[in-house]
Amino acid sequence: MDISCERLPEIFNIAAYFIEGSLSRGHSERIAFYYRDETYTYRTVRSYVRRAATLLSELGLDREDRIAILLPDTPEFIFAFWGAIWAGAVPVPINTACSIDDIQYIIQNCRAKILLTSQEWHEKLTLGTEFLRDVLLVDGETPFLSRLDQTSEEATPSRTSPCEPAFWLYTSGSTGRPKGVVHMHSSMVVSAQRYGKDIVGLHENDITYSIAKMPFAYGLGNTLYMTMAVGAASVLSDAANAFDIIADLHRYQPTVLFGVPSTYASILAVKEMAPLETPRLRLCLSAAEQLPKTIWTRWLQAYGYEICEGIGTTELLHIFLSNRPGECQPGSSGFPVPGYEVEILDDQGYPVKVGEIGTLQVTGKSLMLGYWNRIEETRKVIYGNSIRTGDQYQCDAEGFFWFMGRKDDLFKVNGQWTSPFEIEEVLLQHESLLDVAIVPQTDAQEVLPYVVAFVTLKAGFTASSELEDGIRRFAKSRLPHFKAPKAIHFLDKLPRTPTGKIHRKALGTKLALVRAL
């Protein structure tokens, strides 16, 4: 099925499409969301969304105006997000894992007219912006839900177009200021069909649990629109660690787990203290970062589930490369999702040969309109209907795609291009290591690069020179000598971006500081 703006109705509102569609399919009394001790049916969601649209309109939020939503995954987030789109306005979710500086930048950069947040966040922010007119709070004397309860449901869906902006998502900003990615009303339809239905096989009896939160493109699909597209239910969670996540999984018994590599590793690390018991679980998935084969194998051995790894980008909204249930190739990103054309190109823009490394280019109908107010950066990555992601990949003879890192992740050691993931995969097989990140360092003459490892330890292990020597010997026994780490640094926790990826730039800064001392 071809899904594009041209094949959708000329008047098309994605909020009404999913919400009214769920009721027309007989899902009105089905649970849409679990949140703590509360449940919200599709009928209830529709009522609150219409009330939110009415309230936002009364507050002067006009068509195409932006509302910034700075919240964890909560019902208020959902009502405001869909309510804004219903009214023809544009919601801009902000990840609460972002720095204060980046949050304030996003609010100013997107020219938000309204901010929805909590008292705690409001007190942390300095909101001196010429655009912001109102701040709505989810707690305090007049919480957002109470205001909705006193508002009518009279709002009708705005007569928007499938090709006009519906919502923005900001990139994590690990290499600079976050960029506002502008998506159309049609983008969610594409991702819900191509990945949610065609790959994951979501259906109305599913309950999904996502580690990634809704301001993150991966989490937005997992928790919000993909489930609503089929009448399924999602869990809204504020779990902060592996024990909380395991407690949630036991409590809600989801059928689909949308995970990230670090969470799978953390759950495995505590399995003796808190074993996972999820008899209803049918599928485990992973994205956001490369899933080490070691973690994949341990998870299968411990719990009997494959982990279907995939890759997506904020610019394409969700997953475009994915392994298939029952056909996983551990360590790979799988095959192209139906509806997406994926190529690996050299620096001149020509397809590389099988097994060669090049830059990933993806063509698909969920492609962003562009980066807000960054025309030059948009033109550098978009080529017609395609985008060059900057990810370095190779494709094997069977058609599996293998992630080699970002272009600036690769480095030369002993004259050979080296991917950090190859070394990390080996080190993670050591019994003491929970998390690993590899970065290059140069010698005092700035000539000869060598490998440096930053590691975190599992419970029961303590950093020592003896353990460092043991890890280094382990690496040398399994890797070419020049790929074994010359230096190993123990950390309590690896730095990560707001979307959960290892922050290699921050580790490079740590190395520079150590060297300066």
Side-chain angles (χ1 to χ4, degrees):
M1 179 174 64
D2 181 33
I3 305 169
S4 66
C5 288
E6 292 75 19
R7 291 182 176 268
L8 292 173
E10 183 178 347
I11 304 300
F12 181 82
N13 184 294
I14 189 61
Y17 176 79
F18 282 127
I19 294 169
E20 299 288 17
S22 65
L23 269 67
S24 68
R25 292 190 295 272
H27 296 146
S28 60
E29 302 309 320
R30 294 184 66 87
I31 294 173
F33 298 101
Y34 292 88
Y35 179 65
R36 298 178 179 173
D37 295 326
E38 302 290 333
T39 57
Y40 294 83
T41 66
Y42 276 88
R43 184 186 298 278
T44 303
V45 171
R46 178 179 182 268
S47 174
Y48 274 117
V49 167
R50 293 177 67 181
R51 293 169 188 267
T54 302
L55 176 61
L56 295 175
S57 296
E58 290 174 350
L59 292 173
L61 194 70
D62 296 324
R63 185 161 172 171
E64 298 185 19
D65 283 345
R66 268 78 74 188
I67 171 175
I69 303 173
L70 177 62
L71 292 173
D73 286 7
T74 60
E76 293 93 334
F77 182 115
I78 291 165
F79 305 151
F81 184 91
W82 284 132
I85 295 176
W86 188 283
V90 177
V92 182
I94 303 176
N95 196 327
T96 56
C98 288
S99 67
I100 295 289
D101 188 45
D102 276 347
I103 289 170
Q104 294 184 154
Y105 168 79
I106 292 170
I107 294 170
Q108 172 72 21
N109 181 255
C110 75
R111 303 176 185 172
K113 199 169 182 178
I114 295 175
L115 168 66
L116 175 65
T117 190
S118 65
Q119 280 188 318
E120 181 181 1
W121 273 108
H122 190 208
E123 292 168 2
K124 293 178 181 178
L125 300 172
T126 303
L127 297 172
T129 165
E130 62 193 284
F131 306 106
L132 194 64
R133 296 292 178 266
D134 283 289
V135 177
L136 303 178
L137 300 177
V138 297
D139 46 11
E141 294 183 4
T142 55
F144 183 60
L145 277 183
S146 294
R147 296 188 67 171
L148 294 186
D149 286 333
Q150 299 168 18
T151 304
S152 74
E153 299 182 41
E154 64 186 21
T156 57
S158 179
R159 292 171 61 82
T160 49
S161 158
C163 293
E164 72 177 82
F167 61 98
W168 298 7
L169 295 171
Y170 272 79
T171 61
S172 60
S174 59
T175 57
R177 284 295 194 185
K179 298 188 289 289
V181 175
V182 181
H183 273 290
M184 302 177 287
H185 283 255
S186 61
S187 296
M188 287 180 173
V189 182
V190 177
S191 295
Q193 177 65 49
R194 298 307 188 193
Y195 183 71
K197 296 179 183 179
D198 295 348
I199 299 298
V200 181
L202 286 175
H203 54 75
E204 64 180 17
N205 293 320
D206 274 323
I207 300 174
T208 70
Y209 187 95
S210 176
I211 302 301
K213 304 309 177 187
M214 287 188 287
F216 181 19
Y218 179 46
L220 189 70
N222 305 342
T223 300
L224 191 62
Y225 63 88
M226 287 188 181
T227 51
M228 296 192 76
V230 298
S234 298
V235 176
L236 305 179
S237 171
D238 53 6
N241 55 54
F243 293 104
D244 291 344
I245 292 169
I246 292 169
D248 273 349
L249 296 177
H250 289 169
R251 178 181 185 180
Y252 298 108
Q253 289 296 313
T255 58
V256 179
L257 172 59
F258 290 99
V260 296
S262 59
T263 299
Y264 286 115
S266 297
I267 292 174
L268 285 169
V270 300
K271 67 182 177 67
E272 299 303 324
M273 293 179 282
L276 194 61
E277 297 177 4
T278 52
R280 292 194 62 199
L281 191 63
R282 69 173 180 85
L283 188 59
C284 297
L285 304 114
S286 183
E289 192 173 28
Q290 178 80 0
L291 177 71
K293 184 177 180 180
T294 300
I295 301 301
W296 190 97
T297 302
R298 288 177 181 171
W299 188 263
L300 180 64
Q301 292 171 344
Y303 297 115
Y305 299 108
E306 292 181 311
I307 302 174
C308 293
E309 183 179 6
I311 181 177
T313 65
T314 307
E315 291 83 351
L316 283 153
L317 188 56
H318 213 271
I319 306 298
F320 53 79
L321 278 175
S322 179
N323 281 275
R324 274 54 167 177
E327 303 175 27
C328 290
Q329 180 65 270
S332 82
S333 298
F335 296 104
V337 169
Y340 291 91
E341 180 182 343
V342 184
E343 299 178 280
I344 301 174
L345 307 178
D346 62 20
D347 290 340
Q348 286 71 49
Y350 295 104
V352 302
K353 297 178 181 178
V354 171
E356 291 184 352
I357 298 174
T359 300
L360 204 68
Q361 176 171 290
V362 186
T363 305
K365 297 292 186 180
S366 61
L367 180 62
M368 67 175 180
L369 285 170
Y371 298 121
W372 164 249
N373 220 9
R374 296 199 185 185
I375 189 63
E376 291 303 320
E377 290 180 64
T378 300
R379 287 173 175 166
K380 285 179 181 178
V381 298
I382 290 183
Y383 297 77
N385 295 319
S386 305
I387 184 169
R388 293 186 188 170
T389 68
D391 295 314
Q392 300 299 289
Y393 262 82
Q394 65 180 14
C395 184
D396 63 23
E398 297 179 66
F400 285 96
F401 283 74
W402 299 83
F403 180 55
M404 306 306 291
R406 300 286 293 177
K407 194 163 189 177
D408 52 3
D409 288 340
L410 301 178
F411 56 91
K412 277 191 173 182
V413 178
N414 204 36
Q416 297 186 33
W417 282 111
T418 300
S419 168
F421 302 106
E422 173 192 3
I423 304 170
E424 290 164 3
E425 169 64 40
V426 169
L427 291 182
L428 282 169
Q429 297 173 35
H430 192 278
E431 62 177 357
S432 71
L433 298 185
L434 175 63
D435 211 356
V436 179
I438 296 296
V439 294
Q441 174 67 297
T442 53
D443 61 15
Q445 288 73 42
E446 301 285 344
V447 175
L448 299 174
Y450 58 88
V451 175
V452 174
F454 287 90
V455 303
T456 63
L457 299 176
K458 295 177 182 176
F461 291 89
T462 304
S464 66
S465 56
E466 291 77 16
L467 179 57
E468 181 177 349
D469 289 340
I471 295 170
R472 192 176 291 108
R473 288 194 300 272
F474 180 87
K476 287 181 177 178
S477 70
R478 289 162 172 78
L479 289 165
H481 70 92
F482 60 88
K483 292 186 179 182
K486 185 175 179 180
I488 298 174
H489 299 282
F490 296 96
L491 299 178
D492 292 333
K493 188 177 182 181
L494 294 184
R496 293 184 177 273
T497 69
T499 53
K501 299 178 182 178
I502 291 175
H503 204 317
R504 296 183 192 276
K505 185 177 180 181
L507 291 174
T509 301
K510 280 182 178 289
L511 277 180
L513 291 173
V514 169
R515 192 166 174 183
L517 296 174

